[in-house]
Amino acid sequence: MASSSHRRRPRPDQNFEWRPVRGPLLAVAAVAAVALVVTLVVAFRPDGTAGAGQGAADRAVSAASATASPEAEASTTATASATPSKGSSASSKPTASARTTPTASAAPSAAPARRAAAGTARTPSTTTAPAAGRIRPGASYQGVATSYDVGNGDGACSFGPTDDVMTAAMNTADYETAKACGAYVSVRAASGTSITVRITNECPAPCAVGQLDLSQQAFAKLAPLSAGRIAITWSLLSPATSDTVSIRYKTGSTQYWCGIQAIGHRNPLARLEVRTGGGWLALTRTGYNYFLSEQGTGCGGELRLTDIYGEQLTVPALPVRPDTVQRTGVQFARH
């Protein structure tokens, strides 16, 4: 009798049941199908993400694997490892990028809005800023006082002859190209005596910064003329006055060239402008206290005056009448 070890293998046409092979394959196929369906459903949900799709697929595979036989574990693991490729393709869908793109673009769009608002908040008002030069309101200056014979009262400021003897010449630095012309100054000596003078002239070198060359009449109220030179402190005033500003065109002025001067202003004059077709044009000031319009722009037209406090006065058009004082009826405020 033949040994069992020489038993022939059954032929393929014989009716054998291949359970050890068919069972695992069916389980693997079922698991793969379930995983694929779950992955596709999650990936194509409107609110789905790559991470969510991957997690759902893994959970589905694990649940299905629990029902499969041990022989199917190797195949199940291979099927699950292929699932991330579907998850990564889901992450490239427009749904995910649509959520992140607006967030990135929102930050740059908000910044210009804040800059525009800030720019609006920083827009200057119509009030003109103070235009003081070297001589500033509220400041006190130290120097020396000397004296000179003013003659008929005329000087570098070109105000013309005057009977007013309470005047002074300002040192060149503080004269500042005639910006000090017409300024009222309070002068105090070491003795405590004080006077008020109006600047009508310039005192060139050797007059030093801070020095005032007073009319002899003014100096005599502080000290004897024989003193020659005394220490002083002085400061700008904005005095009471019943006078108003006047305008004078320089000798030789026409509609094609003119020099314009303001007289009788309470506060030092910082700027004189003429009206043009394009707006206001500031004229250049000379050391002899006239504002020149070399091309005749604005000659005989409307004027605008600005003092060192920033106040502006508009003067209606006046005819060009050389060397004639024309009153305006306007005056700067007292400070």
Side-chain angles (χ1 to χ4, degrees), residues 173-259:
D174 294 324
Y175 183 77
E176 202 174 1
T177 314
K179 198 167 188 177
C181 285
Y184 289 88
V185 174
S186 173
V187 184
R188 181 179 295 274
S191 63
T193 305
S194 64
I195 59 172
T196 297
V197 295
R198 185 168 65 105
I199 305 301
T200 61
N201 209 346
E202 178 183 8
C203 183
C207 274
V209 175
Q211 182 172 345
L212 294 178
D213 203 20
L214 305 176
S215 68
Q216 292 179 344
Q217 293 86 342
F219 188 95
K221 292 182 178 296
L222 298 176
L225 290 178
S226 58
R229 184 183 185 93
I230 62 173
I232 59 168
T233 58
W234 56 273
S235 58
L236 186 66
L237 290 179
S238 179
T241 179
S242 59
D243 200 5
T244 60
V245 179
S246 296
I247 298 296
R248 177 164 56 193
Y249 280 94
K250 193 179 186 304
T251 301
S253 293
T254 67
Q255 60 178 322
Y256 306 107
W257 179 96
C258 67

Side-chain angles (χ1 to χ4, degrees), residues 126-141:
T126 55
T127 302
T128 303
R134 290 179 58 87
I135 304 176
R136 298 179 176 277
S140 181
Y141 301 88

